Structure formats: C-alpha cells, structure tokens
Amino acid sequence: MTLAIIGGTVVTAGGTLDADVFVAGEKIVAVIAREINTPDFGRADETIDATGKYVIPGGIDAHTHMEMPFGGTSSVDTFETGTKAAAWGGTTTIIDFAVQAKGTGLLATLDKWHEKADGNCAIDYGFHMIVSDVNEATLKEMDACIGAGVTSFKMFMAYPGVFYATDGEILLAMQQAQRSGATIMMHAENGIAIDQLVAQALGAGRTDPVYHGLTRPPELEGEATGRAITLAKVAGCPLYIVHLSAAQALEAVAEARDTGQNVFAETCPQYLYLSLEDLARPDFEGAKFVCSPPLRTKDHSATLWRGLRTNDLSVVSTDHCPFCFKEQKELGRGDFAKIPNGIPGVEHRIDLLHQGVVAGEITLARWVEVCATTPARMFGLYPRKGAIVAGADADIVIYDPTARQTLSVATHHMNVDYSAYEGMEITGKVATTISRGRVVVADGEFKGARGEGTFLPRTLNQYLV
Ligand code: URP
Ligand code: ZN
Ligand code: ZN
C-alpha cells in the first residue's frame, strides 16, 4: 500500500517546507521539496491533497491515564475509547501509566496493564510505571521494566497513604535510576503539608471545589519541585517534572537547567487555558476542574507560555484522566477532598496548542516540537516517532489551520459527560490522521479500528549525553 500526501506544508521541529510525503506500508519513504522536484506520484495507491494544510508528525501524548483506578473509582476512557479520541485530535501515540498497587510487583503490574491495553488500542502506545511501593524487589524490578521497554518511573510527593513516597524512598529509586539511566518522573507537590491544609479547610466547613485549589498553594509545588531536583542531583539521575502548573516550580526547573542538570518538565493545556476561576464555578461545577496540581491564577499561565518558549518546559502532555461529572465528580459533593482528581483532554492537545500559535505565544515549529518531537526524544521513541523523515513510522496528521471549531461534549469523542473547554471557539482542526500508514480519521469519520495500535518498547531518554 503506497500513499502520497501532496501539496501541503510539512511542519517539523526544524521549520516548514513545501514538500510532498510518500508512504509505503507503515513507513515514510520520501519527503521531497516541491521546489526541487516534482515527483510523479501517479503510482501511489492513494493520494491525499493537502493543499493549504500542514503536514505534521502525529502527536505523542506522554501522559495519559486510561482505565486508571483512582480516588475510589476509575477513569472512564478505556484504552479503546481513549485512543480513538486521541486519534480524532491528531495524537498517534500515547504513553500511559501502569500503576503499581502496594504489595504488587512491577512486572506483575506491567502484565496487568498489557492485559488492559493489548488488542484494544487504535493507535500505538507505551507505558511508564508508577512506583508506589519502594522495597528491594521493586528496585530490582525497575531494571527488568527497562528490559521490557518501560524506561521511565513516576513517583509521588503528593497523595499520602496512596501513592506518596518519602524522600528516602525517592532517593533509593533515583539511585537505581542513576545506575540504569532511567528517568524518574515526579508529581511534585508537598502532600504532607497539603493534607494539613485540607483538614483545616474541611474542619472550618469549607467544602466547595475551589478549596481544592486553595489548599494546594503554588509555593508547595515550588518547594516539592526544588526538593525533587535536589534529590535527583544527589542521586545523579535524570528527572522529569510532570504536569507543572506553578511559576514557583518553573523557576526551580529553570535554575537547575541553567546549571546543566538533567531536569526536564512538561505542562498541560489545562494550566495554559483554565484557571482557579473555573474551580470556583458555582453549583459544584468547579468539580469538573479538580486536578492535581490544581488550576492556578491566570498569571501562572502567562509564565508557562514563556517557559514553553524558553524550553524550560519541553513537553506538553494532557494528563488525560477523565471522570464523569455525574456519579464520579459528584462523589465529592460536600467534601472537595473526595472529588476524583483529573481532567479529560487527550483529544484537544494539538488544537489547543495550535491556538497558542494563532495567539503568537509559540511558533509553528515549536508547536510540533512540544507536541511530538520532544516527547519522542524524551521517552526513547525518536526517530521512529515524532518526525517526518524517511524511515520513520508514517504517523502523520494533516492539519487545516483555517478551520474553525467549537469544543463541546456534544462533539468530542472522549467517553466523558462534560468538556472542560465547553464552548471554546478555536482556529485549526485535524483533517486527517494517519497511523503507521493507515488513515484512521478523515472526512469527519473514524476509519481505524480497535487493536490496530501496537505496544512500543522504548529506549532511554535521548537527551542524555
Ligand atoms: O489530577 C490528576 N493529575 N490526576 C491524574 C493523576 C496524576 O497525578 O497525574
Ligand atoms: Zn501526578
Ligand atoms: Zn497524571
């Protein structure tokens, strides 16, 4: 099967090129600048006219939670529904989190997550491992995970009694990561202090969703981020701060990066576009916006956009963790601490970041870099993923930069009963999504299938020298 994508503007992390892209089977086989040559694509089995559109590498969402048991319930997108929604939004790879339960080994956890995902995904997928039970066996199994293609491990300074790890446990895991070259991903919030603030708020009768934000102040994200950086420096391991939301945390990351330490960070669209004002919406609607770290005041968003420009924030992921408003978010009526934490977004990352291009916050090349190329390099998938070059997987998105759309629960494909971006009007829309040479979304229709996505074993972080 051969496919020619002609007439478009290829956008990569390196810039733009008016070029035609030729695909054979699952791979890109040629990218030919039109001003150099006018190749004869007459022999391709299928030709897509991309005139007036961008041709970009399929997005890589390096932070999703499908079917995740959390907060006494489970996130509602399955690997099937979540990967289909991702494809609608131009994402062709997700890296989801396998979650170690206390008392369970890492390899047994990985087996369980393979059972959930294998044969169900519509696009390619990999796994990170959440480490919640640090002991000798866990530390040994971290190396076995790397052998199984899982090269990054998330730990939590938040959620005492659930995923929380002490500084000592974090140091042990970091030392193990230093020996193998694995990356430690950190949820950096001071959970011990936050729990005190939560208890005080509830004790004073402050139970509304906005108190979720007010009891998790940005200073406690900044403090934890600085502490994680110090621990990683002592251990000598690479550190990746997940879902960074606060200016204080960004400052700590920037300072460490300036010294040359291997510290990286991602942010998420919700921290760029939503704010504490959303958490304060009346009639419990704020529950739709409960995630951790919480949404911040708007001044933090401006700082995060700057961080994306300066590369102190290298990646934008969604932290897609969808819970329905009805019956799930509602678990926290009368007690904000019982609202399951998470926001849906896997379908909208590429569009929302393109909106940043339209608004002049980032360049076109940077859009592609933070959504596809850098996550591929950060998590050991490059150049198979994240690039439009001969030899790469033909994960390609044809993006219409002039189309207008309104984000809404009525039109999205995520399996969740609300949109965090309801009514938001944006410019730009995915026209076609191609996953390993197969058209999975085109002409407003889903053309892929559950099970066509394959597991991606990953190598180590490719930014390390
Ligand atoms: O609120 C969030 N972020 N939910 C997902 C779990 C996590 O901490 O990433
Ligand atoms: Zn987290
Ligand atoms: Zn997460």
Side-chain angles (χ1 to χ4, degrees):
M1 177 73 188
T2 54
L3 170 67
I5 302 165
I6 61 165
T9 300
V10 174
V11 185
T12 67
T16 59
L17 182 68
D18 289 330
D20 299 329
V21 179
F22 196 73
V23 172
E26 297 194 347
K27 299 285 181 188
I28 296 170
V29 291
V31 181
I32 302 174
R34 277 195 295 283
E35 63 185 28
I36 296 172
N37 198 349
T38 309
D40 175 13
F41 283 118
R43 286 178 298 122
D45 298 319
E46 190 183 343
T47 298
I48 299 177
D49 182 0
T51 304
K53 301 194 176 73
Y54 300 142
V55 179
I56 63 173
I60 299 174
D61 191 340
H63 189 153
T64 67
H65 302 280
M66 310 300 176
E67 307 180 33
M68 184 205 191
F70 193 39
T73 180
S74 185
S75 63
V76 284
D77 261 317
T78 62
F79 279 92
E80 179 182 353
T81 63
T83 54
K84 285 181 176 170
W88 275 103
T91 287
T92 52
T93 298
I94 61 162
I95 312 180
D96 204 87
F97 288 82
V99 185
Q100 181 193 26
K102 289 211 191 297
T104 308
L106 296 186
L107 290 178
T109 302
L110 193 54
D111 285 347
K112 199 166 165 191
W113 253 259
H114 273 299
E115 267 172 42
K116 292 183 192 220
D118 295 355
N120 289 319
C121 293
I123 55 167
D124 289 351
Y125 59 98
F127 293 125
H128 311 285
M129 177 62 68
I130 285 178
V131 177
S132 68
D133 193 357
V134 178
N135 55 47
E136 237 172 79
T138 295
L139 294 172
K140 275 202 192 119
E141 282 198 325
M142 284 172 70
D143 286 353
C145 286
I146 294 170
V150 175
T151 58
S152 37
F153 299 87
K154 182 177 176 189
M155 302 192 78
F156 289 77
M157 300 167 113
Y159 305 130
V162 188
F163 298 134
Y164 175 81
T166 65
D167 286 359
E169 289 167 340
I170 289 169
L171 186 74
L172 289 177
M174 284 180 164
Q175 287 172 332
Q176 189 70 27
Q178 186 278 328
R179 289 189 277 273
S180 63
T183 295
I184 295 292
M185 308 171 80
M186 190 60 73
H187 181 133
E189 288 186 290
N190 185 329
I192 300 289
I194 285 168
D195 270 10
Q196 295 302 326
L197 296 177
V198 169
Q200 286 167 4
L202 291 174
R206 299 188 185 109
T207 60
D208 286 345
V210 71
Y211 291 104
H212 172 78
L214 297 176
T215 54
R216 306 179 88 95
E219 288 78 6
L220 293 183
E221 186 185 344
E223 182 277 330
T225 303
R227 188 154 36 96
I229 289 168
T230 302
L231 292 168
K233 188 172 183 182
V234 170
C237 79
L239 176 67
Y240 178 94
I241 304 292
V242 290
H243 47 46
L244 187 149
S245 74
Q248 290 87 338
L250 183 57
E251 200 181 316
V253 167
E255 202 177 295
R257 288 174 62 78
D258 285 349
T259 68
Q261 195 180 335
N262 280 319
V263 172
F264 310 91
E266 69 175 14
T267 192
C268 312
Q270 53 269 35
Y271 301 120
L272 297 167
Y273 288 100
L274 304 173
S275 77
L276 199 60
E277 286 177 21
D278 293 298
L279 259 181
R281 289 196 203 185
D283 301 328
F284 196 64
E285 210 199 329
K288 294 176 179 173
F289 304 92
V290 166
C291 61
S292 293
L295 302 179
R296 305 292 184 191
T297 49
K298 285 181 179 161
D299 47 316
H300 288 271
S301 307
T303 307
L304 298 181
W305 281 114
R306 193 188 66 212
L308 284 172
R309 288 192 291 277
T310 60
N311 200 36
D312 289 317
L313 292 170
S314 315
V315 171
V316 178
S317 309
T318 59
D319 193 9
H320 176 74
C321 192
F323 296 103
C324 283
F325 183 70
K326 285 217 175 335
E327 291 178 14
Q328 291 192 301
K329 292 288 187 180
E330 282 181 340
L331 290 170
R333 271 194 198 275
D335 180 351
F336 68 84
K338 294 202 169 79
I339 301 169
N341 285 207
I343 289 190
V346 75
E347 190 168 346
H348 299 317
R349 184 180 59 119
I350 306 287
D351 284 332
L352 288 168
L353 267 290
H354 179 259
Q355 202 59 28
V357 177
V358 173
E361 294 283 5
I362 52 170
T363 64
L364 267 181
R366 188 69 182 146
W367 171 52
V368 168
E369 193 167 33
V370 300
C371 288
T373 312
T374 299
R377 287 196 165 118
M378 191 73 69
F379 296 110
L381 292 170
Y382 188 86
R384 178 174 173 192
K385 303 291 188 188
I388 304 254
V389 291
D393 279 0
D395 289 359
I396 300 169
V397 170
I398 302 171
Y399 195 81
D400 183 347
T402 57
R404 300 276 301 160
Q405 57 169 323
T406 304
L407 304 183
S408 172
V409 65
T411 47
H412 77 203
H413 303 86
M414 299 176 286
N415 184 34
V416 61
D417 66 359
Y418 75 96
S419 171
Y421 304 96
E422 187 65 42
M424 184 172 171
E425 290 181 8
I426 59 171
T427 305
K429 193 172 186 213
V430 170
T432 306
T433 303
I434 299 163
S435 166
R436 292 200 336 276
R438 289 166 293 109
V439 172
V440 291
V441 173
D443 309 318
E445 269 180 51
F446 189 78
K447 297 171 186 270
R450 164 184 166 216
E452 286 182 343
T454 58
F455 173 68
L456 298 169
R458 298 180 291 108
T459 64
L460 298 175
N461 185 324
Q462 293 166 297
Y463 283 107
L464 307 178
V465 285

